[in-house]
Amino acid sequence: MTAHAPTRVDDERRAPRHRRRAAWATLLRGYLRTSPVAVGFAILVLLGAIATGALWGEPVPALLGWSPDSIAYPLQWGRVVTALVFSDSPVDAVVAVLLALTVLAGAERILGSARVLLSMLVTGVGAVILGGIIELGVNALPDLNIAASESVVLDPTIAIAGAIVAASGLADALWRRRIRVVVFAVLGMFALYAGDVEWWYRLLSALLGLGFGRWLARGIPRRPWHHSSTRETRSLVGAVVAVTGLGPLAALVGGGGRGPLSLVADSFSQFNQSLIDRCAARYVPVCDHQIALLVTRGVGPALLAIVPLVLLVIAAWGLRRGRRAAWVLAVAVNAALAALAILSVTFGQVFLVEPVDGAALKYAFWFIGSVVVPIVVIMLLVISRRRFQVRAPRRAVRAAVIVVGIAFAVCVALFVVAESLLRRAFDTPPTAADLLVEAVRRFVPPAFLQGIAQPPYPHQGPALFVYQWVGVLFWIVVVVMIMRLFRSTSGPTASSLTTNVRYRTLLRRGGGTLGFLGTWEGNEHWFSDDLEAAVAYRVVNGVALTVADPLCTPDRAAETVREFADFCIARGWQPVFYSIHDEFLPVFSEMGWQTASVGEETVMHLPDLEMVGKSWQKVRHPFNRAEREGIRAEWTTWADLPVALSQQIIQISEQWVAERSLPEMGFTLGGLEELNDPDVALLLAIDTDGRLQAVTSWMPSWRDGVIDGWTLDFMRRRDGAPNGVMEFLIASAALRMKADGVRVLSLSGAPLATKPLLAGEPEPHPTVVSSFLAWFGEVLEPVYGFASLFSFKSKFHPEYRTLYMAYSDPVALPMIGSAVGRAYLPDASPAEYVAVARSLFARSR
């Protein structure tokens, strides 16, 4: 055969493959360059596992591990190092290698190679020595149900746990919180419930890492974390609830666990062996129930016993999605568990014999895990309840209730019919009443039936199978319906979709620079009878707050305002027009309404824009510097973003929220949710490594169906981003828009700001409202930076357009002020409002 020379087509086909290989090679080289300690430690652990045979499951020599007895023998102190390198099982070795290549590599990027190595030595060695001392002391306490003293520690993850927590000390506020919450939740869960000694050493290492990280961060100015965003709060609360469900599960999987809270797991086992043993010494009615559980044990009853834990884990998943039903489920399950524990103590079902030989301490831990922990979780849920407002549509709720009801009826009927036909499997023939009672009991986890009279039960055959599995079948249906309910969203109804489309249609005819605010979720829409005029508004505490100018032609301004006001009054609402421009002031003056300035909009007229001269140096210099550094501006939409960039935007936004001492604002200030709109454009600043440095979002404004302007809304920059990156983005946007023939660029409104006076312009006559708003803006400045942002926008030499609030009744100002505050801070808790009040008081002194 004749060999063909490579053609141009062949080269083009190979090119993408070569580029992918080159990209992967670049990533690998960068990873090895920034993570030498992590890679070296992973290799060391792997070689140690191979050398000792641990990777194949062979026993590891005890002389390599650390035990409490080693403290008394100085010659064995070298084991503090070998215990942190060698593993005692193939699973531990693989997990340690994976954690080293991922978690430890992340810590190394934060700390640097030298400091991460130092952190591993300090926290790992310190935890091993301190753990040995503590373990010797714990062994002196009788029957504490904590890991035994003869344990030999061989665990490389001890040093990794300390290093990652130490790294959190130098991480930004968002990741500092995430690392610490996740690490201590996981380590605490396994230590308190499973109780294996390695988990206690890892927890000690993490605690030492907490202190060592603070020492490493000494002298470094750090922004404290304050409030979580709604998204972040949901995730953290969900993690806490998940731990309360997974902890007892971990103890059950580990054979009952040896942690101080492991006794809680007895409530979720098929039967309680310790209670059965005590029944031999002292009979109480609960013994009948325990013996029945022992006789009818199997996979089905085991699954039924852990239903509360499964529900908690499912609730945690729903809480992360902000579901109100998940919040109700988590509160209900924790309340039921706490009530069960209290009843168990009240009716003496726990203490069948007097606790002796240190058992009182065990039961103290049991009380903490069974009563205190659920109550604390309920308190956390109540405090954060405003974050969980996502409700399923009524149709989905009705469907779930109907399906669960049918499943209940079918399972009850199945149980009664089957057991009636199979009575011979019962030692004592059940009556019809017995079968009905037991049919209901089959859906209740065994722990909740203690102390209740035990009806007859089957011992074998199909009757026992039905007895064991009918309740599990019902709960499977319940779990499936709950998960479907969590996935259901109310979303816009058909009518709201219609009104939103109708509003956007009018908006495209011409709606001003702020008209797009009316499309945001949470707004309602009023339309005139002929559908040619519209007002976007939201009702807060009986006040109807409009958003931006009414959508209408100039000749219909007075008619539109009056009709909307009548619409509100007829429903008992106080109408307030918010963030309107001066074109509408004559209408309100004629109506006898009061007006007050509530902010300033800054507008750039693009046809005449020329960034030349000394006055533009503060914009031109950062723009040129960013271009020299290879930063590029990318114009896109949220739907077109690759996952890597969208995740970076979320991270930057969460970081920004975490560093604010007061909650994130809404109403006329957009957040992440407002970015996901096909009409909204994003302008990103991306460096030469493809890393996002800053992001801005732009809302369109139309005239006769053509985009006539863009309005800046969302602005976030990464911590450590180059100075001037925002000037670069806004200047890039202005130049792009000018080239596209856009007429107006609005830098949006600055709440509570006052425009600078021109030369010779008299100061406006102060009023009570204007004086209060000026003082209020000054008070909030340290937290939200309204005045600083307004000053930043002045670099672009904009035209100032005052934004007004119009209201009919000055007596209603306190109610209006409260409504505006709630609109801007919709998710704020009472504690956060107290924080606002404290800030106001501190600034007013």
Side-chain angles (χ1 to χ4, degrees):
M1 296 178 66
T2 305
H4 295 282
T7 64
R8 181 178 177 182
V9 174
D10 293 331
D11 292 338
E12 290 177 351
R13 288 175 178 172
R14 293 193 187 100
R17 248 178 301 166
H18 291 318
R19 283 196 294 269
R20 285 196 297 271
R21 290 174 183 171
W24 280 109
T26 302
L27 288 174
L28 181 60
R29 286 194 297 269
Y31 174 81
L32 294 175
R33 185 175 61 253
T34 58
S35 312
V37 172
V39 174
F41 186 68
I43 294 174
L44 187 61
V45 171
L46 185 60
L47 292 177
I50 293 174
T52 60
L55 198 59
W56 337 113
E58 296 179 7
V60 179
L63 59 87
L64 295 175
W66 173 266
S67 67
D69 297 336
S70 302
I71 297 175
Y73 302 96
L75 293 178
Q76 296 183 12
W77 280 38
R79 297 184 182 181
V80 296
V81 177
T82 57
L84 301 174
V85 174
F86 293 95
S87 303
D88 60 359
S89 72
V91 173
D92 288 347
V94 172
V95 169
V97 169
L98 292 176
L99 289 177
L101 295 176
T102 54
V103 173
L104 187 60
E108 188 170 359
R109 290 197 174 194
I110 297 173
L111 293 176
S113 298
R115 286 190 293 191
V116 80
L117 182 59
L118 180 62
S119 299
M120 294 174 67
L121 289 173
V122 170
T123 61
V125 172
V128 168
I129 295 175
L130 184 60
I133 296 173
I134 294 175
E135 200 173 347
L136 286 175
V138 167
N139 293 331
L141 299 175
D143 198 22
L144 187 58
N145 207 36
I146 296 181
S149 62
E150 294 80 8
S151 58
V152 176
V153 176
L154 286 160
D155 188 4
T157 62
I158 294 174
I160 296 176
I164 185 60
V165 176
S168 73
L170 276 75
D172 57 45
L174 177 67
W175 281 102
R176 189 160 67 249
R177 172 170 51 208
R178 285 179 174 177
I179 290 171
R180 292 176 181 178
V181 169
V182 172
V183 169
F184 283 108
V186 172
L187 296 183
M189 175 188 73
F190 280 101
L192 293 171
Y193 288 99
D196 292 331
V197 70
E198 289 86 356
W199 287 107
W200 288 101
Y201 279 89
R202 293 166 189 150
L203 184 58
L204 279 175
S205 180
L207 290 171
L208 292 175
L210 194 63
F212 190 67
R214 296 179 71 89
W215 181 80
L216 289 175
R218 68 194 188 286
I220 300 176
R222 298 183 304 162
R223 298 179 182 177
W225 77 55
H226 295 284
H227 291 276
S228 304
S229 67
T230 297
R231 182 195 303 264
E232 186 74 2
T233 300
R234 290 169 176 174
S235 297
L236 295 178
V237 173
V240 172
V241 173
V243 165
T244 63
L246 293 174
L249 278 177
L252 288 172
V253 172
R258 294 185 296 277
L261 301 186
S262 61
L263 198 60
V264 177
D266 290 343
S267 300
F268 307 105
S269 58
Q270 295 187 62
F271 56 89
N272 192 323
Q273 185 62 53
S274 63
L275 290 183
I276 291 176
D277 294 340
R278 293 174 187 177
C279 284
R282 175 188 174 190
Y283 173 82
V284 291
V286 73
C287 293
D288 292 336
H289 180 59
Q290 289 297 322
I291 294 172
L293 294 177
L294 176 64
V295 173
T296 59
R297 67 187 182 275
V299 177
L303 294 176
L304 185 64
I306 63 171
V307 162
L309 304 181
V310 173
L311 292 178
L312 283 177
V313 174
I314 293 172
W317 175 68
L319 290 170
R320 190 175 180 275
R321 300 167 67 95
R323 311 300 304 205
R324 188 67 172 181
W327 184 90
V328 173
L329 178 63
V331 170
V333 173
N334 277 287
L337 293 176
L340 168 67
I342 293 172
L343 289 174
S344 297
V345 174
T346 303
F347 292 103
Q349 295 162 17
V350 174
F351 305 113
L352 295 180
V353 295
E354 292 298 321
V356 294
D357 298 330
L361 187 57
K362 290 173 56 178
Y363 286 118
F365 282 128
W366 172 88
F367 186 81
I368 293 173
S370 299
V371 179
V372 177
V373 170
I375 290 176
V376 170
V377 172
I378 291 173
M379 293 171 61
L380 174 64
L381 289 165
V382 171
I383 291 171
S384 59
R385 64 189 181 280
R386 296 180 184 275
R387 310 288 188 174
F388 306 99
Q389 298 294 337
V390 182
R391 302 175 187 270
R394 292 183 178 180
R395 180 181 301 176
V397 174
R398 285 196 300 269
V401 171
I402 291 172
V403 170
V404 170
I406 292 174
F408 180 82
V410 169
C411 289
V412 167
L414 174 64
F415 179 85
V416 172
V417 171
E419 303 297 13
S420 297
L421 297 175
L422 301 168
R423 290 172 181 268
R424 294 182 179 180
F426 291 75
D427 279 352
T428 302
T431 64
D434 289 335
L435 292 179
L436 285 174
V437 170
E438 191 59 43
V440 176
R441 288 166 56 96
R442 287 299 81 216
F443 307 115
V444 182
F448 292 86
L449 298 174
Q450 295 187 27
I452 302 175
Q454 175 65 48
Y457 49 88
H459 288 233
Q460 59 188 355
L464 180 60
F465 179 84
V466 174
Y467 185 93
Q468 291 175 332
W469 285 98
V470 69
V472 177
L473 176 62
F474 168 74
W475 282 109
I476 289 175
V477 174
V478 172
V479 167
V480 170
M481 295 312 299
I482 289 175
M483 296 183 70
R484 290 191 61 180
L485 206 60
F486 289 171
R487 293 177 180 272
S488 302
T489 54
S490 295
T493 61
S495 59
S496 64
L497 281 172
T498 301
T499 58
N500 194 283
V501 170
R502 189 179 297 154
Y503 184 86
R504 288 178 183 254
T505 301
L506 289 178
L507 192 61
R508 279 170 167 76
R509 299 181 185 178
T513 52
L514 301 180
F516 198 83
L517 299 176
T519 66
W520 288 357
E521 185 176 353
N523 292 324
E524 302 289 338
H525 300 100
W526 170 87
F527 293 92
S528 61
D529 291 338
D530 60 1
L531 305 181
E532 293 298 318
V535 176
Y537 68 97
R538 61 182 64 194
V539 179
V540 183
N541 297 338
V543 177
L545 292 170
T546 71
V547 185
D549 296 330
L551 297 185
C552 62
T553 56
D555 60 305
R556 294 191 57 167
E559 177 188 354
T560 301
V561 169
R562 291 179 186 276
E563 288 183 3
F564 177 74
D566 292 340
F567 166 80
C568 295
I569 293 170
R571 285 156 179 78
W573 303 334
Q574 179 72 36
V576 176
F577 287 79
Y578 197 85
S579 290
I580 57 173
H581 291 95
D582 52 13
E583 295 93 324
F584 286 85
L585 294 186
V587 174
F588 295 106
S589 177
E590 182 182 345
M591 294 171 61
W593 284 31
Q594 305 291 317
T595 58
S597 168
V598 293
E600 296 288 338
E601 184 185 11
T602 46
V603 177
M604 298 171 62
H605 295 280
L606 299 180
D608 302 326
L609 176 66
E610 296 291 342
M611 296 184 190
V612 296
K614 186 176 181 180
S615 62
W616 281 92
Q617 284 182 352
K618 292 182 179 179
V619 175
R620 198 167 56 248
H621 286 175
F623 179 84
N624 293 334
R625 182 172 63 249
E627 286 196 326
R628 286 195 304 270
E629 293 176 357
I631 296 177
R632 73 179 192 275
E634 183 172 322
W635 184 267
T636 183
T637 63
W638 184 267
D640 294 332
L641 282 175
V643 174
L645 282 178
S646 62
Q647 289 302 311
Q648 289 185 64
I649 292 175
I650 294 172
Q651 177 185 342
I652 291 172
S653 180
E654 297 286 4
Q655 171 68 28
W656 183 89
V657 173
E659 293 172 351
R660 294 296 178 272
S661 59
L662 295 178
E664 187 177 17
M665 302 185 83
F667 191 30
T668 63
L669 303 174
L672 278 173
E673 289 74 13
E674 284 70 40
L675 304 186
N676 191 11
D677 188 300
D679 289 326
V680 172
L682 303 179
L683 189 61
L684 315 178
I686 303 175
D687 62 19
T688 53
D689 295 328
R691 194 165 186 241
L692 181 68
Q693 296 296 330
V695 55
T696 56
S697 74
W698 300 86
M699 303 180 295
S701 56
W702 291 268
R703 174 178 288 184
D704 298 329
V706 178
I707 291 181
D708 184 55
W710 291 94
T711 301
L712 176 64
D713 176 35
F714 186 87
M715 295 175 63
R716 299 286 189 271
R717 67 191 297 272
R718 182 184 296 278
D719 275 357
N723 291 330
V725 68
M726 280 300 175
E727 289 90 336
F728 165 74
L729 277 181
I730 293 175
S732 299
L735 295 175
R736 176 190 176 91
M737 293 171 191
K738 179 182 178 181
D740 291 343
V742 173
R743 186 177 60 88
V744 175
L745 183 155
S746 170
L747 296 175
S748 195
L752 309 177
T754 304
K755 65 181 178 182
L757 297 176
L758 300 176
E761 184 179 359
E763 291 191 10
H765 180 69
T767 64
V768 174
V769 176
S770 63
S771 300
F772 171 78
L773 291 175
W775 168 78
F776 192 60
E778 182 181 347
V779 167
L780 292 181
E781 172 58 25
V783 179
Y784 291 113
F786 293 142
S788 302
L789 180 60
F790 187 60
S791 176
F792 165 78
K793 294 176 180 179
S794 67
K795 295 180 181 181
F796 298 90
H797 308 286
E799 171 194 341
Y800 297 98
R801 302 186 63 194
T802 304
L803 300 173
Y804 295 92
M805 176 181 71
Y807 53 97
S808 61
D809 186 2
V811 176
L813 274 176
M815 182 173 65
I816 294 171
S818 174
V820 171
R822 174 59 71 182
Y824 272 115
L825 301 171
D827 296 322
S829 64
E832 290 170 332
Y833 278 112
V834 171
V836 174
R838 286 177 178 172
S839 176
L840 296 178
F841 177 74
R843 289 286 298 173
S844 63
R845 294 175 62 180

